């Protein structure tokens, strides 16, 4: 039953990837239809319709009894003006709900069932409760490799797929991705200009940070515009052979963004979901060849070599069936990469490497060269083993810097570049010795508490790395913040556990070799 029209009101609440509507408890529609809080409802206005979760309010300052309030997500998805008439009705359950219940019971799902679930997810027909049930079920009852393949295919199918052969006449499109979990790991901003300067097409769409102190898009935004329309992105790629853009405007694998909004608060990142998330985005973005970096370390996402090998094989199986040529590297994830953690600090590291500054972080440089070299070896005219040398020549000659500056200018160089947070606090060593541990998770947490990435100049500058000698009272790292409250939060967390331990050289990991990059 569809009930009498109500007047739309934009409530201005960010519900993060979920449609939420608001009705006053005294609204006649609530009483007549028997709506309850958290009911699934269907909203119709001007020929458009959305499914949403209902919240019931008692304060007329939010909505009156003749208004229908819409969250920011619901307002944007419905696409009508404030004040427009709308009707509301009880929603039918999503068509795929039976398949969801099967997965909750631990049953294996087929291609069509997973496709139906992902269609409903992408159409915002699932509430956060139903999304959480799917995420938890696929984590508890681990997806087999065929299910991971079907999930990836379904996620590709519900969004846009870029065709660079049609757009710019390129048959070979290279990309690079790291599974995450390592602060400061801004290799993409070095790899992309190196590979583009070699002449290969490398249109990089990147994410913003969700639980980390900075994503590639956050760091690139310190220097240039990253929110580009698809049409503008194509123009830039034609001009520079590359881009470093935020992927949120491209509508690539939209179901993945919705699932991530639930996975991250639950701290769930199961292998199957990780593989489907990464490969669906890369295939949808038009990549034909991908270098994948899997860092391994005690505080990385992947903790051991056997776990890394299992994940590598799963990536290779799915990529092979999707027609994506994949090269997986397992790298040293025992500590952050570079010195800076946070958008401004990481952008500073990137520019130092590109400009060949003597104090540039060598671990960031070496890792970027290794990754760029493997990407260059996708070029059929390059012999195996020659890619890293070519990448080093491009970087040392200044061609990568020139290409990066061209890319910044094409995307829109920022005149109002954010500055480093002026409020600082140094965390000091409590004993003589060497640094024997840097906890990626805790270091990232402290940088976020300092305000990163929302405050671009906030974060953390590492002054010591694994194996470095240190004296009692010497600073291990410096916290930067823009606001007193943020600095206080970060200091309090660092006082409890700084995430950096000092010990004797004998306590270093037995295979430690100065922060080496390795492939297992």
């Amino acid at each position: 039953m569809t009930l009498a029209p109500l007047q739309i009101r934009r409530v201005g609440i960010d519900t993060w990837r979920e449609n939420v509507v608001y009705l006053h408890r005294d609204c006649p529609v609530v009483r007549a239809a028997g709506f309850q809080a958290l009911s699934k409802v269907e909203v119709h206005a001007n020929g458009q319709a959305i499914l949403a979760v209902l919240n019931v309010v008692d304060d007329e300052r939010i909505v009156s009894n003749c208004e229908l309030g819409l969250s920011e997500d619901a307002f944007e998805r419905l696409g009508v003006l404030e004040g427009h008439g709308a009707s509301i009705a009880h929603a039918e359950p999503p068509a795929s709900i039976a398949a969801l219940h099967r997965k909750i019971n631990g049953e294996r799902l087929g291609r069509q069932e997973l496709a139906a679930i992902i269609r409903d997810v992408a159409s915002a027909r699932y509430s956060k409760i139903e999304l959480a049930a799917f995420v938890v079920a696929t984590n508890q009852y681990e997806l087999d490799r065929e299910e991971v393949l079907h999930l990836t295919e379904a996620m590709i199918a519900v969004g846009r797929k870029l065709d660079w052969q049609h757009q710019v006449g390129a048959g070979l499109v290279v990309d690079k991705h790291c599974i995450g979990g390592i602060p400061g790991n801004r290799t993409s901003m070095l790899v992309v200009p190196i590979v583009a300067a070699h002449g290969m097409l490398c249109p990089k769409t990147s994410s913003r940070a969700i639980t980390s102190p900075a994503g590639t898009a956050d760091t690139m935004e310190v220097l240039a515009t990253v929110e580009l329309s698809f049409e503008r992105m194509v123009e830039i790629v034609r001009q520079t052979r590359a881009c470093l853009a935020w992927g949120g405007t491209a509508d690539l694998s939209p179901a993945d963004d919705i699932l991530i909004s639930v996975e991250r608060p639950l701290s769930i990142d199961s292998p199957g979901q990780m593989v489907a998330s990464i490969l669906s985005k890369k295939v949808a973005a038009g990549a034909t060849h991908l270098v994948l970096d899997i860092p391994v370390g005690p505080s990385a996402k992947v903790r051991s070599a056997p776990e890394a090998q299992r994940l590598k094989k799963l990536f290779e199986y799915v990529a092979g069936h999707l027609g994506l040529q994949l090269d997986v590297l397992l790298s040293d994830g025992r500590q952050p990469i570079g010195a800076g953690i946070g958008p401004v600090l990481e952008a500073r590291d990137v520019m130092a490497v590109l400009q060949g500054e003597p104090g540039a972080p060598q671990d960031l440089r070496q890792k970027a060269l290794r990754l760029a070299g493997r990407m260059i070896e996708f070029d059929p005219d390059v012999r195996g083993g020659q890619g890293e040398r070519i990448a080093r020549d491009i970087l040392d000659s200044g061609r990568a810097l020139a290409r990066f500056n061209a890319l910044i200018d094409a995307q829109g160089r920022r005149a109002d570049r954010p500055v480093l947070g002026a409020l600082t606090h140094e965390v000091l060593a409590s004993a003589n010795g060497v640094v024997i541990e840097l906890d990626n998770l805790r270091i990232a947490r402290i940088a976020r508490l300092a305000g990163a990435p929302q405050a671009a100049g906030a974060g953390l500058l590492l002054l010591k790395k694994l194996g470095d000698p240190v004296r009692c009272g010497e600073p291990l790292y410096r916290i930067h913040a823009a606001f007193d409250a943020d600095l206080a939060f970060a200091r309090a967390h660092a006082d409890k556990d700084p995430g950096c331990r000092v010990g004797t050289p004998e306590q270093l990991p037995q295979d430690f070799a100065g922060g080496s990059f390795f492939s297992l």
Side-chain angles (χ1 to χ4, degrees):
M1 178 179 69
T2 302
L3 301 167
L6 297 163
Q7 190 177 52
I8 287 177
R9 180 170 181 175
R10 185 177 185 175
V11 174
I13 296 176
D14 182 359
T15 50
W16 186 239
R17 302 283 181 182
E18 184 175 30
N19 295 333
V20 178
V21 300
Y22 306 86
L23 287 177
H24 196 278
R25 193 177 303 278
D26 294 333
C27 176
V29 171
V30 174
R31 295 196 301 270
F35 286 127
Q36 294 181 334
L38 301 185
S39 296
K40 291 283 289 293
V41 297
E42 192 165 342
V43 178
H44 293 264
N46 196 32
Q48 305 295 318
I50 61 168
L51 288 182
V53 173
L54 173 66
N55 281 196
V56 177
V57 301
D58 295 303
D59 191 339
E60 287 199 357
R61 291 173 296 180
I62 299 175
V63 287
S64 70
N65 61 12
C66 63
E67 291 178 319
L68 175 65
L70 301 182
S71 69
E72 290 293 284
D73 285 88
F75 185 81
E76 183 178 350
R77 186 173 281 267
L78 191 59
V80 297
L81 296 175
E82 194 171 25
H84 199 286
S87 60
I88 185 170
H90 286 283
E92 294 294 326
S96 63
I97 205 72
L100 171 61
H101 288 160
R102 287 190 59 207
K103 196 63 195 174
I104 291 171
N105 291 330
E107 298 181 44
R108 183 185 182 280
L109 299 183
R111 175 182 271 113
Q112 297 307 317
E113 290 168 307
L114 285 164
I117 288 174
I118 294 303
R119 280 195 300 269
D120 282 338
V121 168
S123 301
R125 300 185 69 87
Y126 271 33
S127 68
K128 282 283 176 72
I129 295 171
E130 290 160 336
L131 288 169
F134 177 69
V135 167
V136 171
T138 54
N139 181 62
Q140 181 177 0
Y141 303 106
E142 189 171 338
L143 300 172
D144 65 32
R145 63 182 194 171
E146 285 78 17
E147 285 181 297
V148 177
L149 173 60
H150 299 332
L151 178 61
T152 309
E153 291 171 334
M155 291 166 70
I156 295 168
V158 296
R160 168 186 256 163
K161 185 174 179 182
L162 305 185
D163 182 358
W164 294 106
Q165 173 68 39
H166 174 73
Q167 296 291 342
V168 297
L172 192 151
V173 181
V174 297
D175 203 346
K176 166 263 168 193
H177 188 84
C178 175
I179 68 167
I182 307 299
N185 194 21
R186 288 286 78 82
T187 53
S188 291
M189 292 174 65
L190 296 165
V191 165
V192 169
I194 290 171
V195 171
H198 179 67
M200 304 177 84
L201 198 76
C202 189
K204 178 74 174 161
T205 56
S206 301
S207 61
R208 294 190 181 278
I210 298 177
T211 59
S212 65
T216 297
D218 301 303
T219 304
M220 184 64 181
E221 195 171 39
V222 171
L223 307 171
T225 301
V226 297
E227 295 191 11
L228 306 170
S229 68
F230 173 66
E231 293 73 21
R232 181 67 187 129
M233 189 166 67
V234 170
E235 290 176 12
I236 292 166
V237 172
R238 283 199 185 109
Q239 179 182 345
T240 67
R241 305 292 290 173
C243 70
L244 276 160
W246 177 52
T249 54
D251 193 33
L252 305 174
S253 188
D256 179 49
D257 295 328
I258 297 171
L259 291 172
I260 285 173
S261 71
V262 173
E263 290 168 2
R264 296 300 167 83
L266 292 172
S267 297
I268 289 176
D269 202 3
S270 68
Q273 291 165 353
M274 181 193 299
V275 170
S277 171
I278 292 170
L279 294 187
S280 67
K281 281 280 177 67
K282 296 306 175 185
V283 172
T288 60
H289 296 67
L290 174 66
V291 169
L292 182 70
D293 172 26
I294 301 179
V296 184
S299 58
K301 284 186 179 180
V302 177
R303 306 293 174 89
S304 69
E307 183 185 351
Q309 290 290 356
R310 287 193 297 271
L311 185 61
K312 178 177 183 283
K313 289 178 182 178
L314 182 56
F315 268 111
E316 290 171 341
Y317 172 81
V318 176
H321 281 74
L322 296 173
L324 177 66
Q325 189 165 330
L326 181 66
D327 184 8
V328 180
L329 282 81
L330 309 185
S331 64
D332 189 341
R334 289 174 290 193
Q335 63 178 330
I337 300 293
I341 300 167
V344 168
L345 288 160
E346 293 178 24
R348 191 168 71 174
D349 278 356
V350 167
M351 293 308 301
V353 172
L354 285 169
Q355 292 167 351
E357 296 177 9
Q362 291 304 300
D363 57 347
L364 179 62
R365 171 186 161 90
Q366 292 306 320
K367 185 168 185 178
L369 287 174
R370 182 73 179 276
L371 292 166
R374 296 291 277 264
M375 293 172 73
I376 288 171
E377 287 174 13
F378 285 137
D379 182 344
D381 294 329
V382 174
R383 288 185 299 169
Q386 295 298 307
E388 191 170 343
R389 179 189 59 76
I390 294 170
R392 185 178 296 105
D393 288 345
I394 291 170
L395 179 61
D396 291 344
S397 68
R399 284 183 286 156
L401 175 62
R403 183 59 58 104
F404 192 61
N405 279 321
L407 186 55
I408 290 173
D409 289 334
Q411 292 188 198
R413 187 180 293 270
R414 286 195 62 169
D416 58 338
R417 184 176 296 184
V419 297
L420 190 59
L423 303 175
T424 64
H425 171 70
E426 290 187 342
V427 173
L428 308 179
S430 58
N432 295 332
V434 299
V435 177
I436 60 170
E437 181 186 3
L438 281 167
D439 187 316
N440 290 306
L441 295 173
R442 189 159 292 274
I443 292 292
R445 174 70 171 155
I446 293 168
R448 280 187 65 84
L449 287 170
Q454 287 78 14
L460 187 152
L461 179 65
L462 291 172
L463 302 173
K464 299 290 181 180
K465 301 293 284 285
L466 280 179
D468 285 350
V470 62
R471 292 187 175 275
C472 182
E474 193 175 1
L476 299 168
Y477 59 81
R478 183 182 303 119
I479 301 169
H480 286 265
F483 303 99
D484 289 327
D486 291 343
L487 185 63
F489 282 128
R491 286 186 63 173
H493 203 71
D495 287 344
K496 291 179 183 177
D497 184 346
C500 180
R501 287 205 303 135
V502 175
T504 65
E506 292 75 24
Q507 292 175 291
L508 280 166
Q510 290 186 355
D511 59 345
F512 178 72
S516 61
F517 184 101
F518 60 88
S519 184
L520 301 175

